[in-house]
């Protein structure tokens, strides 16, 4: 009878240990899924958003499988919803819509970690019968020691998981710092672009006025056509180009304006001849 009891207890212990291993794998995958979701939501363009969304999809798929194996139905459903949102993020062609679905998946990812932790905690409770076996049967002393060792091993795994999660958070924090640094640099660059735009357009307008006046002096019937529409721009036009691009734009407009004047003045020579 005692041998039967010992066998039943060990079988129950093995089942619980296997379940815990699955939960550990599920939590690890969920942590990566959440981290990638945060990166996708925090990215500053659609390409990076979808790059991390693709990684998050793979992680959420793993969580779905692990949650199904350990019987955590609510986590399985949440992982599925998060994966669908991330897949929707990949299908978008604009940054705003892609980021919108990434945000939804990120929020589900946070909830997913809580659900898995809750399922795991509920699965660790021993029944009264198992406690009675431990206390009433001296032959189970060795099995109890093994249980304690396994619990210690699980705690170590949990600690390792926390360390890995902390590393992920540090990586995210570093990426946010770099993002803020990039945005500050970009703001300064836009300010410089705006200043160049203002001065260049004034200078080009003066050049055009001078050419118009010279055209009239040389030929009263002639009229130098204004090209202001080619170089007067809005501030929004600067957002999609670099400082060097802005400089190049106004250099090219100056060349075109000068070339037009040269062509017109060359025509005056032909009349005189």
């Amino acid at each position: 009878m005692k041998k039967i009891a010992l066998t039943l207890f060990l079988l129950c212990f093995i089942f619980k240990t296997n379940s815990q291993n699955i939960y550990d794998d599920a939590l690890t995958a969920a942590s990566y899924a959440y981290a990638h979701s945060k990166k996708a939501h925090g990215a500053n363009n659609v390409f990076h958003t979808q790059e991390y969304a693709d990684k998050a999809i793979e992680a959420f798929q793993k969580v779905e499988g692990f949650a199904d194996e350990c019987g955590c139905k609510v986590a399985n459903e949440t992982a599925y919803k998060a994966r669908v949102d991330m897949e929707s993020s990949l299908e978008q062609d604009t940054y705003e819509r892609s980021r919108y679905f990434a945000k939804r998946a990120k929020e589900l990812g946070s909830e997913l970690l809580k659900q898995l932790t809750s399922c795991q905690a509920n699965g660790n409770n021993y029944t009264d019968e198992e406690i009675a076996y431990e206390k009433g049967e001296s032959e189970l002393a060795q099995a109890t020691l093994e249980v304690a060792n396994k619990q210690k091993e699980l705690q170590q795994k949990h600690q390792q998981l926390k360390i890995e999660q902390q590393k992920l958070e540090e990586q995210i924090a570093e990426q946010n710092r770099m993002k803020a640094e990039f945005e500050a640099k970009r703001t300064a660059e836009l300010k410089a672009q705006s200043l160049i735009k203002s001065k260049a357009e004034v200078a080009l307008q003066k050049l055009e006025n001078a050419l118009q006046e010279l055209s009239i002096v040389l030929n009263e019937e002639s009229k130098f056509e204004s090209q202001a529409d080619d170089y007067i721009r809005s501030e929004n036009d600067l957002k999609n180009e670099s400082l060097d691009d802005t400089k190049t734009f106004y250099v090219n407009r100056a060349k075109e304006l000068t070339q037009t004047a040269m062509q017109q003045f060359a025509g005056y020579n032909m009349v005189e001849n």
Side-chain angles (χ1 to χ4, degrees):
M1 184 65 182
K2 292 180 179 180
K3 291 182 179 180
I4 294 176
L6 176 60
T7 300
L8 290 174
F9 177 80
L10 289 176
L11 288 174
C12 182
F13 169 75
I14 292 172
F15 175 77
K16 287 181 178 290
T17 300
N18 289 336
S19 297
Q20 290 304 318
N21 289 337
I22 296 175
Y23 273 119
D24 289 342
D25 292 338
L27 282 167
T28 299
S31 295
Y32 281 116
Y34 178 61
H36 291 317
S37 298
K38 289 180 70 175
K39 290 179 181 179
H41 178 241
N44 57 13
N45 61 68
V46 68
F47 302 105
H48 287 167
T49 295
Q50 295 183 349
E51 176 186 354
Y52 288 116
D54 190 56
K55 296 178 180 179
I57 289 172
E58 182 179 353
F60 279 127
Q61 286 177 330
K62 291 181 180 179
V63 178
E64 282 185 68
F66 290 134
D68 184 60
E69 286 185 51
C70 59
C72 190
K73 184 177 179 181
V74 64
N76 175 269
E77 293 175 352
T78 300
Y80 169 77
K81 292 178 182 178
R83 176 173 60 82
V84 170
D85 279 339
M86 274 305 182
E87 289 174 344
S88 296
S89 178
L90 280 178
E91 295 170 357
Q92 307 308 312
D93 56 357
T94 66
Y95 169 67
E96 290 77 14
R97 289 191 58 79
S98 182
R99 189 169 181 267
Y100 167 76
F101 285 102
K103 179 182 178 183
R104 290 190 7 173
K106 181 192 72 172
E107 293 171 350
L108 289 172
S110 177
E111 188 63 25
L112 180 60
L113 287 168
K114 297 177 183 178
Q115 293 170 350
L116 286 170
T117 301
S118 177
C119 282
Q120 185 181 34
N122 293 333
N124 283 340
N125 294 328
Y126 290 107
T127 65
D128 292 338
E129 290 80 2
E130 291 168 348
I131 296 174
Y133 282 137
E134 292 183 29
K135 294 181 178 179
E137 300 292 337
S138 59
E139 294 181 14
L140 299 182
Q142 183 62 34
T144 302
L145 179 60
E146 292 179 2
V147 170
N149 290 336
K150 285 295 181 180
Q151 290 291 341
K152 183 178 180 180
E153 183 180 340
L154 289 174
Q155 290 176 356
Q156 291 174 344
K157 288 184 178 180
H158 281 305
Q159 185 63 30
Q160 182 63 32
L161 180 61
K162 289 181 180 180
I163 293 174
E164 292 177 359
Q165 188 168 354
Q166 182 178 356
K167 289 181 179 179
L168 285 174
E169 290 174 354
E170 290 174 354
Q171 291 176 359
I172 292 172
E174 176 63 16
Q175 289 179 348
N176 288 337
R177 184 193 66 77
M178 293 175 64
K179 177 184 175 183
E181 186 177 296
F182 171 80
E183 289 176 348
K185 182 178 179 181
R186 181 58 182 145
T187 299
E189 186 179 40
L190 280 172
K191 186 176 180 180
Q193 289 175 250
S194 180
L195 182 60
I196 288 176
K197 170 186 176 298
S198 177
K199 291 183 177 181
E201 289 177 357
V202 170
L204 288 171
Q205 184 68 59
K206 289 180 178 179
L207 175 60
E208 187 174 80
N209 291 339
L211 291 172
Q212 288 174 342
E213 183 177 351
L214 180 60
S215 177
I216 294 173
V217 169
L218 296 176
N219 185 349
E220 293 183 356
E221 296 181 357
S222 174
K223 183 179 180 182
F224 188 85
E225 295 296 332
S226 174
Q227 298 183 33
D229 290 341
D230 292 337
Y231 60 80
I232 300 297
R233 301 194 296 169
S234 69
E235 293 291 333
N236 286 332
D237 293 328
L238 304 178
K239 294 181 179 179
N240 297 321
E241 63 186 32
S242 66
L243 179 60
D244 287 340
D245 292 336
T246 301
K247 291 179 179 179
T248 300
F249 174 84
Y250 288 108
V251 168
N252 289 337
R253 297 296 82 76
K255 290 179 179 178
E256 292 172 1
L257 190 60
T258 304
Q259 184 177 12
T260 300
M262 290 177 65
Q263 291 174 350
Q264 185 166 342
F265 295 150
Y268 296 162
N269 292 334
M270 291 176 64
V271 172
E272 292 176 0
N273 292 334

